[in-house]
Amino acid sequence: MAARDAMGDNSASQRGHAERMPGDIVYIDESGHTGDLLKPGTAFDFSGQPHFVLAGVGPMDAARAAALLDQIGSRHRLRMREVKSDRLQTRPAFVRDLFAALRDHDVPLFVEAVDKAFFLMIQIVNCHVMPPTGGTQGDEEDLIVRNAFADFLYQSLPDTVLARFIDACRADNADAVRVSLDALLDWARSEHGGNEEEAAIVRGIEENVVESIDDFERAVAGQPDGYRRFLPIPDAGKRDRLYWMLPNYSSLTNLYARVNRYRQGRLSGLTLVHDEQAQYDDIIRTAKAAVERFEDVSWVVQPGADYAFGETAALSFGNSAESPGLMIADVVAGHVRRVLRDHMAERALGNTAFDALLTLWDVDPTRGAGLNLVLPTAAVQRLQMKALARRAGLRER
């Protein structure tokens, strides 16, 4: 939802590029992870980390990764045994030059950036407003409606109503789900919107939630666990612990599908090396296996991603302290998260830091690489305007 996207084709030139890949490893690391979204903090700021970013770097072999880090590190007199993103907040020029070097060496970057609060709104839309029981078409029009609902909820839904949805996930029972549905309906009936367009959106939410409650009553009457159709599907970790609404899962699957797109389906011999995840490694393995088996029966085109896997990549986990490739992935993820944090807070973006982000932004997304934003539409549009202004300023120099 509200991701920066476009459609593309499978041209001969793209197939040729896929055959000239430099190496056979995509290094993956994350930034802004605080577990699942059932602990949003008292102000719904997710412990000061409102965004989750997953970055993939490569295909690239370890030797090239080490050489690039040494080259840019020497240029900036950077002396770190392990290059860590959180120690580079005052070194945006290093990050900019590293991004530029990756581009110049034809090393693609795959970045998934998620606003956690917006991700929560998407779950409310998909589970309460337009749940699977509603018989929606799953086409482009359906996606536009869902996105409009999520955008409005993001700007208008009270924390008290959002808290009821989180309580329902924690409790995992029919009574809590009904309380959450009722809270959402009560709010929709009292909300009027700021203009005619918003008023129509609110009416649509209200009408859909009324239908959802009817469906809910039939579902729980038919089977005891029928209420779960109105909750997100939890992910099972080690010792069968359930995690609700992990942005890691959807980000990993979409990143993998984008790599598949970039490689034109040629994944045999490729390895995804993810930074060590002692708590979530099983979930990551499950996510990868699930997307490889996925059959898309909707009519929605997935721009820049290919969910049809004719071949599969291997998956392993590595120690970032021993892997230059994972260090680079950490730098990419951390930098994008910091820029998004300042952008969403409407703080001024430093030109050097923003120039690094533009290296990702300027990549043709139809090929799969670049930056995918799961943010409210208005936030994406503001970032687009900043990008246009920055490019215009650079041209005038």
Side-chain angles (χ1 to χ4, degrees):
M1 284 189 173
R4 179 173 181 259
D5 57 25
M7 294 170 56
D9 57 22
N10 298 337
S11 67
S13 61
Q14 289 174 326
R15 288 194 295 272
H17 185 85
E19 292 166 357
R20 295 192 297 272
M21 289 291 181
D24 59 356
I25 301 173
V26 175
Y27 299 93
I28 301 174
D29 201 359
E30 63 188 33
S31 182
H33 176 55
T34 54
D36 64 16
L37 301 190
L38 296 192
K39 298 177 181 178
T42 55
F44 287 89
D45 66 348
F46 300 93
S47 302
Q49 299 191 65
H51 304 104
F52 172 80
V53 177
L54 188 71
V57 180
M60 173 176 61
D61 59 36
R64 173 166 292 189
L68 285 174
L69 270 184
D70 287 345
Q71 173 190 342
I72 307 304
S74 297
R75 184 187 306 171
H76 290 269
R77 298 179 180 178
L78 188 70
R79 294 178 178 85
M80 292 184 189
R81 180 176 178 84
E82 180 183 0
V83 178
K84 295 288 291 183
S85 178
D86 57 8
R87 296 171 62 189
L88 295 172
Q89 297 187 47
T90 60
R91 308 288 292 271
F94 171 86
V95 180
R96 177 202 59 199
D97 290 352
L98 177 61
F99 282 24
L102 291 166
R103 177 198 60 205
D104 294 343
H105 285 80
D106 293 324
V107 178
L109 300 176
F110 305 87
V111 180
E112 296 284 323
V114 179
D115 182 293
K116 295 176 183 177
F118 186 64
F119 191 78
L120 270 175
M121 302 308 164
I122 293 172
Q123 306 309 311
I124 292 176
V125 171
N126 290 341
C127 298
H128 277 15
V129 183
M130 300 176 71
T133 57
T136 53
Q137 293 297 315
D139 55 12
E140 294 288 347
E141 182 178 353
D142 175 75
L143 184 61
I144 291 171
V145 172
R146 290 175 187 270
N147 198 76
F149 286 166
D151 279 336
F152 186 75
L153 292 176
Y154 183 86
Q155 72 179 26
S156 304
L157 191 68
D159 289 352
T160 52
V161 180
L162 183 55
R164 298 292 78 76
F165 181 74
I166 291 174
D167 289 344
C169 294
R170 287 196 184 112
D172 191 15
N173 62 51
D175 289 342
V177 173
R178 181 56 193 264
V179 168
S180 180
L181 284 164
D182 286 342
L184 183 59
L185 180 59
D186 290 344
W187 165 77
R189 285 175 169 168
S190 65
E191 176 66 39
H192 304 293
N195 52 47
E196 291 185 7
E197 181 181 355
E198 290 184 351
I201 290 174
V202 174
R203 287 195 300 271
I205 292 173
E206 178 185 349
E207 292 168 1
N208 276 274
V209 175
V210 169
E211 292 183 11
S212 293
I213 290 175
D214 288 342
D215 292 339
F216 169 83
E217 294 294 348
R218 287 192 292 270
V220 295
Q223 50 188 356
D225 63 349
Y227 69 89
R228 278 201 159 179
R229 302 178 193 175
F230 302 84
L231 290 176
I233 299 174
D235 303 309
K238 288 187 171 77
R239 293 178 292 278
D240 295 325
R241 178 179 175 182
L242 296 182
Y243 295 93
W244 296 83
M245 298 176 289
L246 277 172
N248 317 49
Y249 191 105
S250 59
S251 295
L252 187 280
T253 55
N254 199 58
L255 187 151
Y256 186 26
R258 291 169 60 200
V259 172
N260 189 36
R261 169 76 170 186
Y262 190 87
R263 297 276 297 190
Q264 298 298 297
R266 295 176 173 86
L267 297 181
S268 180
L270 185 72
T271 300
L272 309 179
V273 177
H274 199 297
D275 187 34
E276 288 179 326
Q277 295 286 311
Q279 190 174 8
Y280 302 107
D281 54 357
D282 286 349
I283 291 175
I284 291 171
R285 291 189 184 97
T286 299
K288 176 180 177 291
V291 75
E292 289 168 347
R293 298 190 302 267
F294 176 70
E295 293 185 14
D296 190 356
V297 296
S298 75
W299 300 342
V300 178
V301 175
Q302 300 289 343
D306 184 355
Y307 280 83
F309 286 82
E311 299 178 3
T312 60
L315 172 65
S316 65
F317 294 85
N319 185 342
S320 60
E322 302 171 356
S323 170
L326 288 175
M327 292 181 200
I328 293 174
D330 173 68
V331 170
V332 174
H335 184 77
V336 172
R337 184 180 64 82
R338 288 192 296 271
V339 171
L340 284 183
R341 176 196 61 199
D342 291 342
H343 169 67
M344 296 299 289
E346 299 192 17
R347 291 191 287 264
L349 302 179
N351 286 338
T352 304
F354 195 48
D355 288 347
L357 187 75
L358 287 180
T359 304
L360 290 169
W361 188 270
D362 288 337
V363 173
D364 177 7
T366 66
R367 294 176 56 196
L371 180 63
N372 186 53
L373 298 173
V374 184
L375 306 177
T377 302
V380 176
Q381 292 172 341
R382 290 200 314 272
L383 197 58
Q384 288 172 331
M385 294 304 296
K386 289 178 181 178
L388 290 172
R390 179 60 181 158
R391 291 192 195 98
L394 291 172
R395 286 196 297 269
E396 291 173 359
R397 288 184 178 180

